[in-house]
């Protein structure tokens, strides 16, 4: 399975460089339609389903909400943000873009309240605020 191989190889190559795969920040996207696919996959290919579940349990975990030292598997079924750009379903992309746009609108309102000079406000908007959306324009 490529996923397990990739993560294991990363660990092996990273260890001498004192780098570590942070399992609390690593996430595995198993589908983009919002559904947990493992039960359906198990009907078709139970070995692969077991391998994916084991990899998720080992490499994509979060702390238990109850507390303690218990880790629970964490998989993504909609999408995620990679370097400021969405990866996932069209629904996830649309929601991600809406959230980003809302943040830009908040920044614009803060500029309107906090910076009285129009020229300065426009310069800050062009150099800072609008840059938060430009990388999303090329995405689907």
């Amino acid at each position: 399975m490529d996923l397990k191989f990739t993560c294991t190889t990363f660990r092996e190559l990273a260890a001498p460089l004192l780098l570590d795969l942070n399992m609390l920040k690593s996430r595995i996207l198993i589908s983009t339609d919002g559904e947990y696919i493992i039960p359906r996959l198990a009907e078709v290919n139970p070995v692969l389903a077991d391998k994916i579940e084991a990899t998720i349990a080992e490499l994509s975990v979060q702390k238990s909400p109850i507390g303690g030292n218990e880790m629970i598997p964490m998989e993504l079924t909609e999408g995620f943000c990679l370097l400021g750009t969405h990866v996932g379903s069209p629904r996830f992309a649309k929601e991600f873009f809406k959230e980003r746009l809302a943040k830009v609108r908040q920044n614009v309102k803060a500029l309107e309240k906090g910076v009285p000079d129009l020229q300065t406000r426009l310069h800050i908007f062009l150099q800072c605020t609008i840059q938060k959306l430009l990388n999303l324009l090329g995405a689907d």
Side-chain angles (χ1 to χ4, degrees):
M1 186 171 80
D2 292 342
L3 178 62
K4 179 75 170 173
F5 171 79
T6 301
C7 294
T8 303
T9 303
F10 177 85
R11 280 182 162 171
E12 291 170 1
L13 295 174
L17 302 172
L18 302 178
L19 299 173
D20 188 32
L21 182 64
N22 187 341
M23 295 177 300
L24 294 174
K25 291 184 177 180
S26 300
R27 294 293 175 255
I28 297 173
L29 179 67
I30 61 171
S31 75
T32 59
D33 64 0
E35 291 186 35
Y36 185 65
I37 64 160
I38 300 297
R40 286 187 301 169
L41 181 60
E43 293 173 7
V44 179
N45 190 338
V47 174
L48 180 59
D50 289 343
K51 285 181 179 181
I52 291 174
E53 270 192 320
T55 302
I56 290 170
E58 180 185 347
L59 301 171
S60 180
V61 296
Q62 66 181 3
K63 291 182 180 180
S64 173
I66 304 169
N69 293 333
E70 183 182 355
M71 299 295 196
I72 55 175
M74 172 70 178
E75 69 282 331
L76 303 176
T77 59
E78 284 286 334
F80 63 96
C81 177
L82 176 67
L83 301 175
T85 303
H86 66 278
V87 176
S89 68
R91 181 176 60 232
F92 178 80
K94 193 175 199 177
E95 193 59 37
F96 183 80
F97 194 75
K98 280 183 185 178
E99 288 173 14
R100 283 292 176 97
L101 193 55
K103 287 180 184 178
V104 167
R105 285 183 176 143
Q106 283 179 331
N107 289 345
V108 168
K109 287 179 183 178
L111 279 173
E112 288 173 348
K113 288 181 183 176
V115 181
D117 181 59
L118 185 59
Q119 184 71 25
T120 304
R121 191 183 324 155
L122 180 60
H123 188 71
I124 292 171
F125 176 79
L126 290 174
Q127 295 298 315
C128 304
T129 308
I130 197 65
Q131 301 302 321
K132 296 177 184 210
L133 290 180
L134 293 180
N135 66 316
L136 299 176
L137 295 178
D140 287 338

